[in-house]
Amino acid sequence: MTFDAARYLPDDLLERIRSRAAGVDRDNVFPEDDLRELRDAGYLSILVPADRGGAGLSLAEASVLQQRLATAAPATALAINMHLVWTGVAKVLRDRGIDDLAFVQTGSVAGEVFAFGISEAGNDLVLFGSGTDAVPRADGSYAFTGTKIFTSLSPVWTQLGLHGLDTTSPDGPQLVYAFVPRSDAVVTRDDWDTVGMRGTQSRTTELHGAVAPAERVVRRIAPGPNPDPIVFGIFSVFEILVASVYTGIARRALDLAVDAARTRRSKKTGRAYSQDGDIRWRVAEMALAYDALGPQLDALARDVDAATAHGPRWFSLLAGVKHRATATAKQVVDEAILVAGGSSYFSSNELGRLYRDVLAGAFHPSDPESAHATVASAWLGPLDEQESR
């Protein structure tokens, strides 16, 4: 049976979100109305199981919905993505018999917004290390001090999922994964003034002893590459959902290019550009690239849902699909710009906004260098110790 995406993201809601996207981008504000309508529609809990009040969708189905949302407003889709990552991690863990993030599921249904606080400036270890200090307290809570970057949903989140390094406990160092609420110990800089993805409001977050209660400290694991389920959960859901957003951008760019080819006419021939051989080749090239993304995402997301045993290949498969989606999306948008012509150079043009938004794809983990290193290690084995120095 074909998944009915319009049931969870109706056409009329999608069009209202699309109608606001240009203004959100122009004014560099958070899409409050988008969040309100999506929350009212139950979209923030699509990955929460039905027995906890959610829609009970699979990761594969959420991927389809995020592609659909990104065709209307890429920044809104990417912002919501970061909340969905945590609800997706909760699902991945629960599917494997670990219910440590039950509060994420029930909180999402109750209206809480979870943000993703992992990225740190210069930290290319990402999930395998942290420059944030995690200091244990007598009651089992942790106090976090450090700076997180690209914290999407900054104006609206209620809980920040993050990691930090505990170097003081007897078994240290240990990476600590936890959730902190908003408090005076959390400072959000008003520094989001970027080329694209403006509605995400992914501002810098300063933590000055921000406390995660003991019941919100969900994992303590050794730093470095680690097979712990929370590492797999974060990596798998993040890579698939980010790839989904950029796949949606590619689809929208392709649709806009087709519309432009059919409506633009050549002064030289008097015919629509859809009859021009060069334009037809460009559109075909875009479609050939785009058509490969959906099936890859669907297959890999279904494998996560089914707990398929890819073993050590999992990380190269996940990094690969994210890299291909973001690189392909940029290729498709580049071609769409050429099909549509000079009007797309204006900031008011939707393709101009897509062009700026798609540039952000390279910065999300896994970046191109990390993805290639991960895949090379999967196929060739790790670098010799001497070579890696």
Side-chain angles (χ1 to χ4, degrees):
M1 183 181 296
T2 302
F3 173 59
D4 183 11
R7 175 183 172 187
Y8 302 95
L9 191 56
D11 292 341
D12 58 341
L13 172 55
L14 200 67
E15 288 308 312
R16 288 195 298 275
I17 290 172
R18 189 190 310 281
S19 72
R20 294 189 286 257
V24 166
D25 183 79
R26 181 190 63 245
D27 298 337
N28 189 20
V29 294
F30 185 80
E32 298 274 2
D33 290 338
D34 293 356
L35 175 63
R36 175 181 52 78
E37 290 207 69
L38 288 167
R39 179 191 270 144
D40 290 347
Y43 195 85
L44 272 63
S45 55
I46 54 173
L47 284 167
V48 176
D51 63 4
R52 285 186 172 154
L57 299 188
S58 66
L59 183 59
E61 291 166 335
S63 170
V64 172
L65 288 173
Q66 281 296 91
Q67 292 173 52
R68 180 171 164 82
L69 180 57
T71 65
T76 295
L78 190 66
I80 298 299
N81 227 49
M82 301 312 167
H83 169 90
L84 293 179
V85 166
W86 283 124
T87 60
V89 173
K91 171 180 164 50
V92 167
L93 292 180
R94 193 189 191 209
D95 288 349
R96 287 153 180 80
I98 303 166
D99 209 15
D100 293 353
L101 294 184
F103 67 89
V104 170
Q105 296 178 330
T106 56
S108 177
V109 172
E112 291 217 67
V113 177
F114 293 86
F116 193 72
I118 299 295
S119 297
E120 299 167 345
N123 179 18
D124 56 357
L125 293 170
V126 195
L127 292 175
F128 299 152
S130 175
T132 297
D133 291 327
V135 179
R137 291 154 49 105
D139 62 356
S141 64
Y142 267 86
F144 291 84
T145 299
T147 302
K148 302 293 186 177
I149 60 173
F150 296 131
T151 312
S152 299
L153 299 165
S154 281
V156 297
W157 64 260
T158 60
Q159 296 284 334
L160 178 65
L162 77 171
H163 70 346
L165 192 64
D166 173 4
T167 60
T168 61
S169 293
D171 62 346
Q174 291 282 300
L175 272 177
V176 181
Y177 286 87
F179 289 77
V180 302
R182 282 194 184 272
S183 70
D184 292 340
V186 179
V187 176
T188 300
R189 297 180 192 168
D190 188 9
D191 61 354
W192 189 244
D193 188 14
T194 55
V195 173
M197 291 294 190
R198 292 161 68 85
T200 63
Q201 290 300 306
S202 305
R203 303 173 186 176
T204 301
T205 303
E206 300 175 13
L207 305 164
H208 301 276
V211 174
E215 66 272 15
R216 298 293 171 95
V217 177
V218 296
R219 232 30 177 207
R220 294 177 76 256
I221 62 175
N226 195 307
D228 191 273
I230 197 167
V231 174
F232 174 76
I234 292 172
F235 197 79
S236 61
V237 179
F238 186 94
E239 297 293 82
I240 286 171
L241 291 185
V242 164
S244 301
V245 169
Y246 286 87
T247 298
I249 292 175
R251 175 54 189 262
R252 182 61 177 169
L254 176 56
D255 287 343
L256 291 172
V258 168
D259 288 345
R262 288 172 172 167
T263 56
R264 294 182 70 207
R265 304 192 76 83
S266 168
K267 292 291 187 183
K268 183 188 299 183
T269 66
R271 302 171 72 192
Y273 275 101
S274 59
Q275 302 304 304
D276 180 282
D278 292 334
I279 295 296
R280 293 176 70 86
W281 183 89
R282 286 196 186 280
V283 171
E285 190 76 359
M286 294 163 64
L288 287 167
Y290 164 75
D291 283 344
L293 295 179
Q296 294 177 56
L297 277 169
D298 183 66
L300 206 55
R302 287 177 184 273
D303 282 354
V304 174
D305 288 325
T308 301
H310 286 301
R313 285 208 63 209
W314 258 122
F315 287 91
S316 66
L317 292 171
L318 292 162
V321 78
K322 181 269 171 182
H323 172 72
R324 286 191 297 276
T326 53
T328 298
K330 187 176 185 306
Q331 171 195 342
V332 170
V333 174
D334 285 345
E335 296 285 355
I337 291 281
L338 294 175
V339 171
S343 63
S344 57
Y345 194 57
F346 286 85
S347 59
S348 59
N349 187 286
E350 186 175 357
L351 268 174
R353 299 198 307 277
L354 293 183
Y355 183 78
R356 300 196 307 276
D357 285 345
V358 81
L359 295 178
F363 301 116
H364 305 295
S366 295
D367 63 25
E369 292 79 14
S370 176
H372 282 80
T374 300
V375 174
S377 292
W379 286 91
L380 298 172
L383 281 169
D384 294 339
E385 185 177 349
Q386 184 176 358
E387 292 294 330
S388 62
R389 290 174 181 168

